Amino acid sequence: MELDVASLWILIAAALVLLMTPALGLFYGGMTRATGVVNMMLMSFSAAAITAIVWVLWGYSFSAGEPAIAGIIGNPISDFALHNTPESGLLAAGFAGTFAMISVAIISGAIADRSRFAPWLMFVPLWVTLVYAPVAFWVWGGGMLSADGFLGKIFGEAIDFAGGAVVHTNAGVAALVLALKLGQRHNFHDRPQPHNTPLVMLGAGLLWFGWFGFNAGAATTIEQAGLIWVNTLAAPGAAVLGWIMVEKLRGARPSSLGVASGLVSGLVAITPSCADIAPWAAMLLGVLAGAGSAWAVNLKWKLGYDDSLDVVGVHLVSGVIGTLFLGFFAMPTAESAGGLFYGGGFAQLVSQFMALLVVIVFSAAMTWVIATVIEKVSPWRVPADIEIAGIDAAEHNESGYQLMTK
């Protein structure tokens, strides 16, 4: 079979999404202390490496195989190591694997500057297997939240084109659980600042670039691809303005970290709805997500949970906003009556809410179990003196910078 244009685009899109995980390492690495940048970036790279192995061996089967255990997961035995996947299906399997990589890597930002590396290496395969893959199966693999699933039949099928619930809400909840599990950094109340803002901006720019593959990789027509591309362009731009607006209302000056975080919040929010809302609605969504996440990131100081790099405030909050937004502004299709403001009533909003509820409860419970089991085997936190000195030297015998001294 010759390589057709559609397959070529998926090949390119998969490469773009693969780039997003190292880009996330840059984004997160710049936000940490200078003495923790190596550890932070290695968390992203190791997440990609381990997930690649897990995905080929059993992860893809868990997320897309024949239904097993009353339709809760795909059967991992039926296609272990992709031995039953036809060559024509390997491209789709690889594309799906890049989503699993970025999803688990997102979580690492919540535990920056205080997590040992060994527990993280245990967490990645367990979370991808027991949390990400089942949720992906429920939404995209014909599982219980799909049109033919038992919850989908009751509440209707939720729209999640590229992963508002599967990726961002799922990872955001897991990040909150780990942040609570590990507790506050020693300097939490000092509100530590990024050590390298150019690195943050570079990572954010590469994330935006890769996100066009993330959202448009599954486009099936030129018209749909065009809509997704424009929405992925417009929503993060509007989100930056929404974030800056909140900063101004607080009496602060616009910041590079705010612009980068606002950009990512808009990308997160448009992920589930990129193929189902009009460009004007995408801009409205961007403003709401940027403002909502800018407000939400300050909650950690008030509530006392140490989400180091604002995974909860950006990915969880904007993921929820983007997913629920579809209940109001999803355009009508042959399969759906559309959102509330298109005359479709509350049906789509109910579907979106129930999907979020299921994912949030499941991700929170399973992540807590996984983290607790790992804690029994290998403690998560580094000792206090190592945390204060910086974890790069102790965990990796490396430093991100060679500082010149006289």
Side-chain angles (χ1 to χ4, degrees):
M1 178 185 292
E2 294 184 358
L3 186 65
D4 56 27
V5 174
S7 298
L8 180 61
W9 165 237
I10 296 176
L11 190 68
I12 295 170
L16 289 171
V17 182
L18 178 61
L19 175 66
M20 290 172 65
T21 302
L24 184 73
L26 295 174
F27 181 71
Y28 279 171
M31 293 173 69
T32 62
R33 298 164 59 198
T35 53
V37 60
V38 172
N39 179 263
M40 193 71 261
M41 294 180 71
L42 282 179
M43 282 187 164
S44 286
F45 277 78
S46 62
I50 295 171
T51 302
I53 297 169
V54 170
W55 201 252
V56 170
L57 290 179
W58 63 78
Y60 182 64
S61 299
F62 262 90
S63 71
E66 290 296 320
I69 313 179
I72 295 176
I73 59 168
N75 186 345
I77 305 300
S78 63
D79 196 19
F80 183 80
L82 304 179
H83 71 281
N84 281 333
T85 299
E87 292 181 356
S88 59
L90 289 176
L91 188 54
F95 181 54
T98 61
F99 281 69
M101 290 176 184
I102 188 71
S103 297
V104 68
I106 286 169
I107 301 169
S108 65
I111 55 175
D113 288 326
R114 63 196 189 280
S115 172
R116 294 174 63 244
F117 196 55
W120 174 251
L121 296 181
M122 299 178 202
F123 178 81
V124 170
L126 290 173
W127 193 85
V128 170
T129 301
L130 301 177
V131 183
Y132 177 82
V135 172
F137 178 74
W138 298 344
V139 176
W140 295 330
M144 63 181 182
L145 293 173
S146 66
D148 296 326
F150 72 90
L151 289 180
K153 290 179 179 178
I154 297 172
F155 300 106
E157 183 180 20
I159 301 171
D160 191 5
F161 189 82
V166 176
V167 175
H168 299 290
T169 301
N170 196 6
V173 170
L176 177 59
V177 170
L178 287 192
L180 293 171
K181 188 74 176 174
L182 269 70
Q184 297 177 357
R185 289 166 290 176
H186 75 281
N187 61 341
F188 171 66
H189 293 289
D190 296 333
R191 302 196 177 196
Q193 298 298 307
H195 87 279
N196 190 328
T197 51
L199 205 62
V200 175
M201 300 299 285
L202 175 62
L206 290 174
L207 283 170
W208 197 1
F209 176 70
W211 225 289
F212 287 96
F214 193 82
N215 283 353
T220 56
T221 65
I222 294 175
E223 294 79 8
Q224 187 182 57
L227 177 64
I228 293 171
W229 205 99
V230 170
N231 285 348
T232 306
L233 182 72
V240 169
L241 298 181
W243 193 292
I244 290 175
M245 177 182 66
V246 172
E247 286 189 328
K248 293 293 289 183
L249 290 174
R250 287 178 179 148
R253 297 179 182 180
S255 65
S256 57
L257 180 60
V259 168
S261 298
L263 180 74
V264 174
S265 70
L267 290 166
V268 170
I270 198 61
T271 296
S273 56
C274 56
D276 294 278
I277 62 174
W280 67 266
M283 289 187 284
L284 174 60
L285 172 58
V287 172
L288 293 174
S293 285
W295 170 81
V297 295
N298 270 5
L299 287 177
K300 66 182 183 182
W301 311 116
K302 298 177 180 179
L303 300 179
Y305 63 90
D306 189 1
D307 170 24
S308 307
L309 308 183
D310 300 322
V311 182
V312 176
V314 173
H315 290 272
L316 176 55
V317 171
S318 285
V320 168
I321 290 173
T323 302
L324 291 178
F325 190 84
L326 283 156
F328 298 96
F329 293 101
M331 295 185 293
T333 64
E335 295 80 23
S336 170
L340 180 63
F341 288 100
Y342 281 91
F346 288 95
Q348 193 63 56
L349 182 59
V350 171
S351 300
Q352 301 301 119
F353 176 80
M354 290 307 301
L356 282 174
L357 181 62
V358 170
V359 171
I360 288 171
V361 171
F362 177 77
S363 182
M366 287 300 298
T367 302
W368 185 266
V369 170
I370 293 170
T372 301
V373 171
I374 291 173
E375 177 71 23
K376 302 295 184 182
V377 178
S378 179
W380 280 93
R381 289 291 295 260
V382 296
D385 59 331
I386 291 177
E387 182 184 338
I388 293 170
I391 60 178
D392 283 351
E395 287 292 304
H396 308 289
N397 196 29
E398 288 183 301
S399 61
Y401 307 95
Q402 295 296 324
L403 302 178
M404 301 299 294
T405 58
K406 292 184 179 180

